[in-house]
Amino acid sequence: MRHDRLAVLTALETQGVAPVFYHPDPQVCLNVIRACARGGAPVIEFTNRGDFACDLFGDIARELQKTDPHIILGIGSVVDAGTASLYLNRGARFVVSPCLIPEVARVCNRRMTACFPGCGSVTEIGEAHELGCEIVKLFPGASVGGPDFVKAVMAPMPWTKIMPTGGVDPDAASIAKWFGAGIVAAGMGSKLVTDAAVNAGDWVGIEANVRQTVDAIAAFRAKQ
């Protein structure tokens, strides 16, 4: 199954939460990713962390394409065009950056692949739009102004699609605050996929936590 850019964007907005995850053991990675997908979040951001991370990603992506073709695996923490290309060649279906790097966006556009650059100002968000980025990653979400910043941006630029990472918790109050401000999705890491659950091999617990978060986002949206 080939997930094109529009399919990726639609799936991410639909589930509302992007699990952000890394582990050096490929079997642990596969268990966590499959648990997230069973919990209603098949779009998952794997983190580019450390030596040989792209080889690990390639092994995982190859396996998932055989066994779980509905899962949409992307790569995060990409800060240069060369790294983006390495992951695109290993099956990454989207690329996330902590900062706005025009060369990364251009590489992704050449391959018609979604790119979510990290932005911390209205100027950077405008530049990301100019580079063809449909969704911008607000990073670090809480530190650059939180939901109030999102509301302020949406007033003059209502077409903006914002996905914060950092500051959004998997609970109803945090979800209401952020999604009420106008975000389309949120990246969540260790608060969603906890270290305790990973270390215990509690894949059922991870699935339940993701399902609860996806359902909470859907419930909030239904009330709007």
Side-chain angles (χ1 to χ4, degrees):
M1 183 184 296
R2 179 73 171 110
H3 300 282
D4 64 17
R5 177 156 60 180
L6 290 177
V8 171
L9 294 168
T10 300
L12 175 59
E13 285 193 54
T14 299
Q15 69 188 47
V17 57
V20 180
F21 176 74
Y22 172 83
H23 194 280
D25 185 309
Q27 197 55 53
V28 171
C29 292
L30 287 167
N31 283 324
V32 170
I33 289 166
R34 286 168 176 150
C36 290
R38 289 194 304 270
V43 182
I44 296 148
E45 176 187 333
F46 191 76
T47 308
N48 172 41
R49 188 174 295 166
D51 294 339
F52 311 113
C54 66
D55 298 320
L56 174 63
F57 180 93
D59 292 342
I60 295 166
R62 186 182 294 113
E63 179 66 16
L64 289 172
Q65 284 183 21
K66 290 181 200 165
T67 62
D68 302 82
H70 65 290
I71 290 176
I72 300 173
L73 193 62
I75 187 66
S77 300
V78 172
V79 296
D80 62 272
T83 301
S85 297
L86 285 174
Y87 280 99
L88 289 171
N89 286 336
R90 285 164 176 78
R93 298 302 184 229
F94 60 92
V95 175
V96 186
S97 300
C99 44
L100 176 63
I101 306 140
E103 292 80 9
V104 171
R106 292 190 186 103
V107 164
C108 290
N109 276 335
R110 274 187 195 278
R111 298 281 288 271
M112 299 301 287
T113 299
C115 177
F116 310 135
C119 298
S121 71
V122 179
T123 299
E124 288 181 343
I125 290 171
E127 289 175 359
H129 288 163
E130 190 175 343
L131 289 164
C133 302
E134 293 281 343
I135 296 176
V136 296
K137 171 182 173 176
L138 185 64
F139 184 78
S143 303
V144 301
D148 288 341
F149 177 84
V150 174
K151 282 182 189 171
V153 172
M154 297 298 288
M157 301 163 68
W159 53 83
T160 305
K161 293 186 175 183
I162 294 174
M163 177 179 69
T165 298
V168 188
D169 296 331
D171 62 69
S174 183
I175 286 167
K177 195 183 301 180
W178 281 96
F179 281 85
I183 67 170
V184 299
M188 295 187 198
S190 58
K191 290 182 179 177
L192 184 69
V193 180
T194 67
D195 291 340
V198 173
N199 292 336
D202 184 10
W203 318 129
V204 173
I206 292 171
E207 176 185 345
N209 205 21
V210 172
R211 172 59 64 191
Q212 188 175 359
T213 306
V214 170
D215 287 350
I217 292 169
F220 177 80
R221 286 170 165 169
K223 291 187 288 189
Q224 299 305 294

